[in-house]
Amino acid sequence: MSGPTRTDKIYIYFLLTMLLFALYLTYVIAGPFLNTIVFSGVVSLIFSPLFNRIQRRTGGRRTLAALITVIIIVVCIGLPLFFLTFGLVIQARDTFQALNLWARDTDFAKLLDAHQLDQHLTWLREQLPFVQLDAADIQARLLEFSRNLGQIAVEAGRQLFTNTARLIFHLLLLVFIVFYFLRDGREMVEKLRYLCPLRTEQEDLIIENIQRVARSVLVGTLLIAALQGLLGGIGLAIVGLPALFWGGVMALAALVPVVGTGLVWAPAVGWLLIQGQTGWAIFLALWCGVLVTSVDTVLRPLLLREASQVSTFFVFLAVLGGISAFGFAGILYGPLTLTFVMVMLRIYGEEYRDMLSDRSTCPPSSSDPES
C-alpha cells in the first residue's frame, strides 16, 4: 500500500493541531479547579467500594447510590474537617497570644537560676563561643519567635475567614464532581480507554497502579498523619497543653520524613522541663516517642511501599518534591507522578524487551579498549 498523500498529511496535522488547541482551551477553563478535580477523582476512588455496596442494596440505582455516598462523605468527613479547621485557627491565635504574654512577663534570669540552667548555658558558651546565649537574648528571641508565629496565625485566620466563600465554593464543587465521578466514572474511564492507542493490558497496568497509589496516599499517608495527630493531641491534653492546635500541627509534621512529629513533641517536652514539670515531661516523651512514633514506623512503610512497589526512600522523595513543586497538593501529586514514571518505564521495558536484550548481550566492539 502506498503511503499517505500530501492531503492526508495536511489533514492529520490539522486535526492534531485542532485537538491540542481544544485541550489547551479545556485546561484554561478547568485550570483554576484542577486541584479540586484531581482530589475529587481520588475521593471517588476511595469511596467506590462503598458506592458499589450501596448500589447493590438500592437495586442498581446508581444516581441514588451516588447521592447516599456523597451524603455520607459530607456528614462523616467534610463537616468535621471544616469545623476542625476553624477551631485550629482560633486556638492557634489564643496559643500564640498566651506564649507572647508569658515570654514578655517572665523573668528569664530567675527562671534559668531556678532550674539551674545557667551552668548548662556556661558550658554551651565555652564549647560554642560563636553562640551568644544569655537570659536576655533567650527572652528576646522567644518574644520575636512568638510574635512572628502569632502574626502568621492571625494572617492565616484572616485569610481563612475572608476566603470562606471561596473555600465553601470549592468544597461544594468537590462534592458535585464526586457525585458525577461515582455515578458516571466507569463510562468516563471507558471513553478514555477507547481514545487511548495503548494496548488493553498496558492501560490496565496504568489504571491499576494509579488507583492503588491514590488510595494509599490519602488512606495511608493522611490517615497515619491524622492518627498520629490524634494520639499526640491526647498526650498533649493530658499534660495540659493546647491539644487541638498542637495536635493538628503534629499531624502536619507527620508528613515530614525522618523527624516527623518530633518537631512538635520534643519542644513541648522542653517546655515542660522549663516549667519544672519533670514528671509530665517524661510522660509526654514516652507517650510520643513510643506510641505516636510507632504508628509511623510500623504502618507508613508497610502501606506506602506495598502500594507503589518502590523503595520507601523514593516515596518520601516524591512527597517532598511534590510539596516543593505543587504545595500541599504535592502530597498526592508526588507519589502519583512517581508511579506514572515507574509504570511507563515498565511498559517501555516490556515493549522493547528484545531490543534491550540484544544490546545487553551483544559482544564489545573492536574499538573498546577492554576488548
Side-chain angles (χ1 to χ4, degrees):
M1 297 178 61
S2 61
T5 64
R6 183 179 179 181
T7 304
D8 294 334
K9 291 182 180 180
I10 294 175
Y11 172 78
I12 293 173
Y13 293 149
F14 181 79
L15 178 62
L16 291 177
T17 302
M18 295 301 294
L19 176 61
L20 292 176
F21 182 65
L23 293 176
Y24 170 74
L25 292 178
T26 302
Y27 173 77
V28 171
I29 295 174
F33 317 109
L34 187 59
N35 289 338
T36 305
I37 295 173
V38 173
F39 275 93
S40 299
V42 175
V43 172
S44 302
L45 286 176
I46 293 174
F47 288 93
S48 57
L50 176 63
F51 164 75
N52 293 330
R53 185 176 302 177
I54 296 176
Q55 184 181 0
R56 290 193 296 267
R57 295 288 183 88
T58 56
R61 288 178 285 185
R62 302 175 62 179
T63 301
L64 179 60
L67 180 60
I68 296 175
T69 306
V70 166
I71 292 175
I72 293 175
I73 295 173
V74 171
V75 173
C76 297
I77 299 178
L79 291 179
L81 283 178
F82 185 78
F83 290 112
L84 177 63
T85 302
F86 281 94
L88 284 173
V89 172
I90 294 174
Q91 192 171 94
R93 180 198 60 192
D94 297 339
T95 299
F96 289 124
Q97 287 179 351
L99 178 61
N100 189 30
L101 182 64
W102 175 85
R104 186 185 61 193
D105 297 340
T106 300
D107 188 339
F108 276 74
K110 294 182 179 179
L111 180 65
L112 295 177
D113 182 65
H115 296 286
Q116 299 181 349
L117 295 178
D118 281 330
Q119 55 184 342
H120 300 292
L121 292 178
T122 302
W123 176 86
L124 187 61
R125 282 192 291 267
E126 292 175 355
Q127 300 299 321
L128 303 173
F130 54 88
V131 178
Q132 299 296 326
L133 287 176
D134 52 32
D137 186 60
I138 293 176
Q139 184 171 14
R141 294 186 180 220
L142 188 58
L143 270 172
E144 182 182 2
F145 174 75
S146 62
R147 286 171 181 168
N148 290 338
L149 287 182
Q151 290 175 356
I152 293 174
V154 171
E155 179 63 21
R158 188 183 68 82
Q159 291 290 337
L160 181 63
F161 285 107
T162 55
N163 294 328
T164 300
R166 185 167 176 261
L167 177 62
I168 293 176
F169 170 75
H170 279 274
L171 290 176
L172 293 176
L173 180 62
L174 185 143
V175 171
F176 180 79
I177 296 174
V178 167
F179 171 80
Y180 280 98
F181 277 173
L182 288 172
R183 195 188 70 171
D184 305 325
R186 186 172 302 173
E187 287 77 8
M188 296 179 184
V189 172
E190 292 300 323
K191 185 63 175 180
L192 291 176
R193 295 183 62 168
Y194 169 76
L195 297 174
C196 180
L198 295 177
R199 292 196 295 270
T200 303
E201 61 272 15
Q202 294 173 338
E203 296 171 350
D204 291 338
L205 183 64
I206 295 174
I207 294 174
E208 290 172 3
N209 279 271
I210 290 180
Q211 284 181 341
R212 184 165 58 246
V213 172
R215 288 173 178 170
S216 169
V217 170
L218 286 187
V219 177
T221 303
L222 298 185
L223 181 61
I224 291 173
L227 182 59
Q228 287 187 285
L230 176 62
L231 292 175
I234 293 174
L236 294 169
I238 293 175
V239 300
L241 296 177
L244 181 61
F245 170 70
W246 290 115
V249 175
M250 191 176 294
L252 293 177
L255 301 173
V256 180
V258 184
V259 289
T261 56
L263 292 172
V264 178
W265 64 261
V269 170
W271 168 268
L272 293 173
L273 289 174
I274 292 177
Q275 295 294 314
Q277 304 180 34
T278 306
W280 285 125
I282 296 175
F283 167 80
L284 185 63
L286 292 176
W287 178 278
C288 295
V290 176
L291 182 60
V292 176
T293 306
S294 63
V295 174
D296 178 80
T297 304
V298 175
L299 294 182
R300 184 189 296 273
L302 180 63
L303 291 177
L304 292 184
R305 186 172 183 178
E306 183 181 8
S308 58
Q309 298 179 351
V310 294
S311 170
T312 305
F313 167 76
F314 289 108
V315 175
F316 286 157
L317 187 63
V319 172
L320 290 180
I323 294 175
S324 176
F326 303 105
F328 184 76
I331 297 173
L332 177 63
Y333 292 162
L336 285 180
T337 302
L338 174 65
T339 302
F340 182 70
V341 171
M342 299 299 293
V343 171
M344 295 310 299
L345 289 175
R346 178 177 171 182
I347 292 176
Y348 171 83
E350 293 177 352
E351 190 71 20
Y352 296 98
R353 183 187 300 110
D354 296 337
M355 181 185 300
L356 296 174
S357 300
D358 292 340
R359 290 185 58 200
S360 62
T361 57
C362 65
S365 62
S366 58
S367 61
D368 193 339
E370 297 184 358
S371 61

